[in-house]
Structures are given as C-alpha cells and as structure tokens.
Amino acid sequence: MQTKSERWWDGPGPWLVYLCFYAMPWLWRAPTQFELIASIIGIAVFLPTYFISHRLNGMRLLGTVTAIFAIGALLAPLGGSWTVFSVYAGSEAGRLRPARHAIAVIALVALATAAVGLAWRQPVLWVLPGILLIIMTGGATISREAFYRRTQALLASQEEVRRLAGTAERERITRDLHDVIGRTLTLVALKADLAGKLLVADQAAAEAECRAIAMLAREGLAEVRAALAGQAGGSLAQEAAASSAALTAASVSPHITGDFAAIPAGAGAVLAMTLREAVTNVIRHAEAQRCTIELAMSEHEARLAVCDDGHGRSFTEGRGLTGMRQRLQAAGGSLTIQPGASGMRLIATVPA
C-alpha cells in the first residue's frame, strides 16, 4: 500500500499554490481596505475548511465542497479572482463516490459559478476560465481517485496472492513431510522389531537389519531435506520399486502391473507421492497379506489403483488421505476410495 510519504504530492498542501491567483487582479488595481480585510478573512476560513475536506467523504465532503464554493461566492464582488475557490470546490467534489455523484456535483459547481458571475454582471472572459478549470480539475481528480482505487485493489490482491502462496507452501511441506516421514518411520519400526527378534537367534541377520535401519534413516533425512526444498518425490518407476521393497519388508506380497516409466514426469511425480502414502497406509493399518498396484494409461489420464486384502481400515480419512486428495486436485485429478472384494481399493487419476 502507498504511504503518505510516497504520496506527499497528493495531500492538500502543494495545491494551495493556486490560491495566489486570487490576488492577480490586484496587480493592476489596488484593493480597498475592506476588500483586503474581507479577502483575508475569507482565506482564513477557507484554509482549515480545505484541509478538513481532504479527510472527509460522503455527505460531510459534500458539505465542505459547498462551504468552499460559498466562500468564493461571497468574495465575488470584491475584485479578486474568486473563481479560484470554485476550482478548489470542483477538485474536492471529484473525490465523491460513486463517480456519477462527483460528476453531478462538479456540474452544479460550474453552473453555480456561472450564475454568480452573471448575477454580479462580471465579463464572460472573467468567469469562463474558472468554469473550464472547475471541469478540468474535477475530472482529473475523478481519474486520479479511480487510479488510486485500482492500484490499491491490485496491491491488496497481490498481498492476498502472497498470503495464499505462503499458506499453500506450508500445506505442501506438511503433506510432503507426512508422506516422507510416515513410510520411513514405519519401515524403521518394522525392521527394529525384526532386529530385536533376531538378536539372539541370528545375530548376523539382526546386524543386517540394523544396517538397513541406518540406511533408511539416512534416506529419510535426505528425503526430508528434499521435501523442505520443494523437491520431494522421485519418478513413479522409482517409487513403485521402493513400494515393492517396503511391502516385502513388511511381509506383504506385492503384485505390480503397468508401465510406470511411460507416465509423463509431471503426472508421475503426483502419483508417486500418492503411491507412497497409499502403501504406507497398507503397511501400517491393513494387516494385509497381499497388495496389488495397478497402473493404466489412457489418452487423457493416468490411473493408479492400490488394493489390499486386509480388514478394510487401510484408507480411512485423515491427514494422509487429505494430503493425497489436495495434491491430486491441485493437479486436476481425483481420488476415490472403494471397498474391494476383501480390503480396500484406492483409485487416483491425473490428467496425462
């Protein structure tokens, strides 16, 4: 938003320079003492009215516009260039909203100025420049105020875009960290349990499981760093291989069909994160013996299906499914959860 210091020239002060034109006729005809005193009083009343007017709007602004014009009308017979005050009144009227009200008031000020000039039998060339300036300054003020409103609306919308972008980025990080950390910690827990069971019976196997835990921890750390950098998720083919290994480690038989390498990179990245979270849910919640992962490609979309033969609690609403749904919807896709012949079936689609 523009600050007052950035719009110093838009304040009332700089425009008071035009008040000097009021005294121009006195360069060739000296004013009487009464004319001088009355003019000083009129200007003294005008100044605070003008400054106050610049802070008002609506009916209160209309009141100060009327007061400014009245000051000029009262000074009309005193020999000064009194139409200066009408010009100030027209300029302030340009700030009225909506614009049609401003135009109507500017027209009234111009007509009233002409009427005062005719009433005092002043020459047309004496009043006409003031009337033209009323119309010009009033119209310029309307245009200026409209420009400011558009600029402020644009700045507000840009600020809203920045706010929404920040919110979207936080939500993305939350989703990615949930997906990345969820499966890593699940596998770490599974292998830690297995290592504990093998520690007495088969120390070599237990040692291998401990090395696997260390490797998973390092991979998880790298994936967390990638998620924070906005680079989470590998290719769909890599994720399919990793999901197969994770299912095998959890004693779930994986059955994978489809050409995962044929999916375009953009659609594949979204489906890869969906597959990761789906497989994590199967491992953690389904108590399944078998998990089927199917990928189909049509002319318009890529379709991923993950099915298990567990007890039907693998895909329940929560942060994981919410993140999947948000990610797919952002890519123009969809997420569907269906009961299978046994267990649950998750279907994710994205435009290809």
Side-chain angles (χ1 to χ4, degrees), residues 304-325:
L304 173 70
V306 180
C307 311
D308 67 74
D309 61 354
H311 49 51
R313 293 201 300 266
S314 52
F315 304 123
T316 55
E317 287 297 333
R319 183 178 293 277
L321 284 185
T322 299
M324 273 194 268
R325 186 170 284 108

Side-chain angles (χ1 to χ4, degrees), residues 2 48 69 83 106 115 124 237-238 242 252 255 280 284 289 296 314:
Q2 288 177 305
F69 171 77
T83 56
I106 290 168
V124 173
Q238 292 173 334
V252 179
H255 295 265
T280 300
R284 293 177 63 185
Q289 301 299 314
S314 52

Side-chain angles (χ1 to χ4, degrees), residues 177-231:
L177 288 179
H178 176 274
D179 295 350
V180 167
I181 294 175
R183 190 172 76 179
T184 299
L185 293 182
T186 298
L187 292 177
V188 166
L190 287 170
K191 289 187 173 294
D193 289 341
L194 181 58
K197 294 175 182 178
L198 294 173
L199 191 58
V200 177
D202 189 343
Q203 291 188 356
E207 184 179 347
E209 293 298 332
C210 289
R211 285 196 296 270
I213 290 172
M215 182 183 68
L216 285 170
R218 286 191 291 270
E219 290 177 354
L221 179 60
E223 289 173 340
V224 167
R225 288 172 175 166
L228 294 175
Q231 301 170 352

